[in-house]
Amino acid sequence: MDHTNPFRAALHEERPPDPCVIVIFGATGDLAGRKLFPAIVHLARAGAMPEQWALVGVSRRALSDGDLRTLLVQSAARFAPELSQGDRVSREADNRLFSCREDLESGAPFRELPTLLNRLEKSHATRGNVLFYLSVPPVSYEPIVRSIAASALSRSSDAWRRIIVEKPVGHDLPSALALHRALDAAFSEDQIYRIDHYMGKETVQNILVLRLANTIMEPLWNSHFIDHVQITASETLGVESRAGYYDGTGALRDMIQNHLLQTLAMIAMEPPATLSPEAIRDEKQKVLRAVRPLTEAHLTQFIVRAQYAAGSSGDVNVPAYRAESGVRVDSTTETFCALRLWVDNWRWHGVPFYLRTGKRLPKRVTEIAIQFRPVPHMVFETTPVDLVQPNVLSIRIQPNEGITLKFMAKSPGHEIRLRPVDMEFRYGTSFGGRIGDAYEQLLLDAMQGDMMLFARRDSVEQSWHILAPVLDAWAEGRGGPLLHYPAGSWGPPEADALLRADGREWRDL
């Protein structure tokens, strides 16, 4: 088993998961094929799966067990080619994969799944433990949860039952509350695992280790030394085949409400008393509750929204968002969003947090940049030095995961000339080998009952509460115009103006 996870190492958790059945609703969908199947095979190869386990793929259409195994092998070959070595992937699936056809929309009791789970409990010694995974469109969440409850599958007196809910958890605050009521009717809070795959990424997890295991960091982690924080998640791809989902969602809901706000909370949280899941989730919730409410005046001052127009991605001409297949020709869905937030507490008083995300940008990169305040007194004014650049700690989440500290150094020579240099840490260079996918970590955590990296109900609802004024204004045609930017650019000029108004610039990525 891979024990490079800093949290797991700190907690000395090396126990294998309990025997269980993993039930994936939507087994023929994109997420299962692209992420879940390869993750399960990787865990099996690493010896991280339970000694006794089985996988049930639930879908609307009829599949044989053999069809499901073929699907798993094909998914591994396409999305994890390092797994495709002879028939080894097939052997991982032998006698462990089972297909089940069910109606996922009615909310009625399941017909086949209860019987299959009872059979697997005996044949595979799973002890009745079941991990349900909602790998389906959000509209199917509530009916499936009702069917689980109606089939008496959500609780067991002598086994654990858990459910993983993919983002987005709701479309807005009212729908999130409705989904939570449906989940509460079937499961208790300690059974519900709201997944955000960004939290499973090694570099995001390393934020707490960077801060709390190094005395040179935590004393500087406050408004006395930090000027501002930038969090960027950029994509080169357009909407691709996701228009049916994305055109009713947009960048604010798709990325900022979950990934970027959770990342902000991880950066800004107070040191927890322990590394217990609840201690960490308590501190993250305190940060979200301290985010300054967005008022009507803020909608044009602090937020920029835009949609990509025709342009180029690399050397390829690409169409405008409204010309993409499945997108409404009059769509007002934003594919780019930048905003400025404030965390109103003692640690972060006066420190702006700038968040931006967008599609059809020049690079695929996710980065947290912490820029420190400039030196208080310029002692180099009698030298050829024109400018002392501020120190920047950049945490690269993807690609090329690692951490870089930029600082000033003297260039060789008789005169004092300064230039910025980088001190770099790269996961691949320092540790070697393969960095596990976030879904591997999160699936393993869910099987072990570790909720540390999963969102709690109150933090999900608070994230929606933060953004509710923006979403309401946009729905009513308020909150400033929908701008446009050429595909392949870094967004509209107004996004640059958002920082320049404060005397700052977006980092050149």
Side-chain angles (χ1 to χ4, degrees):
M1 186 185 300
D2 181 2
H3 298 303
T4 59
N5 182 322
F7 294 129
R8 198 167 308 289
L11 293 171
H12 303 289
E13 290 189 0
E14 298 185 0
R15 60 184 175 84
D18 296 330
C20 66
V21 179
I22 301 174
V23 178
I24 298 179
F25 294 99
T28 59
D30 179 67
L31 175 63
R34 192 163 38 88
K35 292 294 185 181
L36 303 185
F37 289 157
I40 289 169
V41 176
H42 271 301
L43 289 172
R45 290 281 184 80
M49 290 295 286
E51 185 176 345
Q52 301 292 336
W53 65 278
L55 174 66
V56 173
V58 184
S59 61
R60 297 179 181 88
R61 56 190 177 94
L63 292 176
S64 68
D65 295 346
D67 291 337
L68 187 63
R69 292 168 192 165
T70 299
L71 190 61
L72 180 140
V73 172
Q74 292 174 343
S75 296
R78 180 180 178 188
F79 297 107
E82 70 276 8
L83 292 173
S84 300
Q85 302 170 13
D87 64 347
R88 292 182 62 193
V89 174
S90 180
R91 288 203 302 272
E92 299 291 353
D94 280 350
N95 303 315
R96 294 191 186 273
L97 267 63
F98 302 88
S99 182
C100 182
R101 184 182 185 184
E102 294 286 4
D103 180 356
L104 303 183
E105 304 296 337
S106 68
F110 292 128
R111 297 173 301 169
E112 300 178 14
L113 185 58
T115 302
L116 177 57
L117 292 177
N118 287 333
R119 176 160 62 87
L120 293 176
E121 180 179 354
K122 297 179 177 65
S123 64
H124 286 66
T126 61
R127 303 181 192 171
N129 298 323
V130 182
L131 176 63
F132 300 105
Y133 199 118
L134 299 184
S135 178
V136 293
V139 70
S140 299
Y141 290 176
E142 289 191 42
I144 291 174
V145 170
R146 289 198 300 269
S147 291
I148 292 172
S151 306
L153 296 177
S154 59
R155 301 181 191 275
S156 174
S157 59
D158 55 356
W160 55 256
R161 303 290 168 91
R162 298 168 186 151
I163 186 168
I164 296 180
V165 183
E166 269 285 345
K167 69 96 176 171
V169 180
H171 187 73
D172 51 20
L173 181 57
S175 60
L177 293 171
L179 176 57
H180 284 155
R181 286 192 293 269
L183 287 165
D184 289 345
F187 297 92
S188 58
E189 179 62 24
D190 62 2
Q191 295 177 279
I192 303 169
Y193 290 69
R194 299 169 186 84
I195 195 169
D196 182 338
H197 71 269
Y198 266 47
M199 295 299 104
K201 292 181 180 294
E202 286 288 354
T203 316
V204 174
Q205 297 176 59
N206 208 27
I207 291 170
L208 283 188
V209 177
L210 177 70
R211 288 180 55 184
L212 306 182
N214 299 285
T215 55
I216 63 172
M217 287 296 174
E218 186 58 27
L220 308 180
W221 214 264
N222 56 63
S223 61
H224 296 297
F225 297 97
I226 293 176
D227 179 79
H228 72 277
V229 178
Q230 296 181 24
I231 303 176
T232 297
S234 65
E235 300 177 77
T236 56
L237 295 176
V239 71
E240 305 302 305
S241 61
R242 300 174 66 219
Y245 159 75
Y246 194 86
D247 200 41
T249 302
L252 193 70
R253 289 183 171 97
D254 188 48
M255 292 294 292
I256 292 177
Q257 185 273 333
N258 37 75
H259 299 328
L260 299 197
L261 283 180
Q262 285 292 316
T263 302
L264 182 155
M266 185 75 84
I267 285 287
M269 63 183 279
E270 293 295 319
T274 70
L275 279 182
S276 71
E278 289 312 300
I280 289 175
R281 300 203 298 177
D282 284 346
E283 297 302 336
K284 289 170 67 177
Q285 172 64 0
K286 290 177 185 177
V287 172
L288 295 176
R289 292 186 65 182
V291 172
R292 185 180 302 174
L294 293 165
T295 67
E296 185 77 20
H298 295 156
L299 298 182
T300 53
Q301 295 176 7
F302 291 178
I303 303 170
V304 174
R305 59 169 172 156
Q307 186 184 91
Y308 66 80
S312 61
S313 179
D315 297 328
V316 179
N317 292 330
V318 294
Y321 175 75
R322 291 177 179 176
E324 299 273 19
S325 176
V327 174
R328 294 172 291 118
V329 294
D330 60 347
S331 174
T332 58
T333 298
E334 81 285 355
T335 61
F336 175 96
C337 188
L339 69 159
R340 176 173 56 205
L341 295 175
W342 305 88
V343 178
D344 286 336
N345 59 23
W346 277 34
R347 180 181 290 268
W348 298 108
H349 175 73
V351 177
F353 287 75
Y354 300 102
L355 281 59
R356 65 172 168 170
T357 184
K359 292 187 174 296
R360 289 293 187 209
L361 300 183
K363 271 190 175 181
R364 174 183 174 268
V365 59
T366 302
E367 182 196 80
I368 305 159
I370 297 155
Q371 181 165 314
F372 292 88
R373 294 190 180 280
V375 293
H377 175 60
M378 181 62 168
V379 299
F380 299 101
E381 58 186 7
T382 60
T383 72
V385 176
D386 296 323
L387 178 67
V388 175
Q389 296 185 21
N391 303 131
V392 178
L393 181 69
S394 59
I395 302 171
R396 179 68 64 90
I397 297 173
Q398 64 180 13
N400 304 320
E401 295 90 340
I403 300 170
T404 301
L405 177 64
K406 185 181 80 171
F407 60 96
M408 301 302 295
K410 178 185 175 296
S411 297
H414 297 294
E415 290 187 310
I416 295 181
R417 294 185 181 277
L418 273 59
R419 59 171 288 184
V421 295
D422 291 338
M423 182 184 296
E424 292 191 335
F425 153 69
R426 290 285 179 266
Y427 266 94
T429 303
S430 297
F431 297 122
R434 173 183 171 272
I435 298 175
D437 184 79
Y439 279 93
E440 296 170 38
Q441 183 63 63
L442 294 169
L443 278 168
L444 181 60
D445 284 353
M447 287 187 284
Q448 291 184 320
D450 185 346
M451 308 189 83
M452 181 184 298
L453 302 178
F454 294 85
R456 201 166 61 189
R457 172 179 180 159
D458 53 358
S459 70
V460 171
E461 293 175 0
Q462 185 63 29
S463 295
W464 283 120
H465 181 74
I466 291 168
L467 301 178
V470 183
L471 295 170
D472 291 345
W474 289 356
E476 297 168 5
R478 297 181 289 110
L482 176 69
L483 305 169
H484 290 85
Y485 61 99
S489 70
W490 279 108
E494 287 81 357
D496 297 326
L498 181 69
L499 269 69
R500 286 176 183 157
D502 298 335
R504 301 180 176 101
E505 299 279 348
W506 288 110
R507 271 175 52 80
D508 182 3
L509 300 177

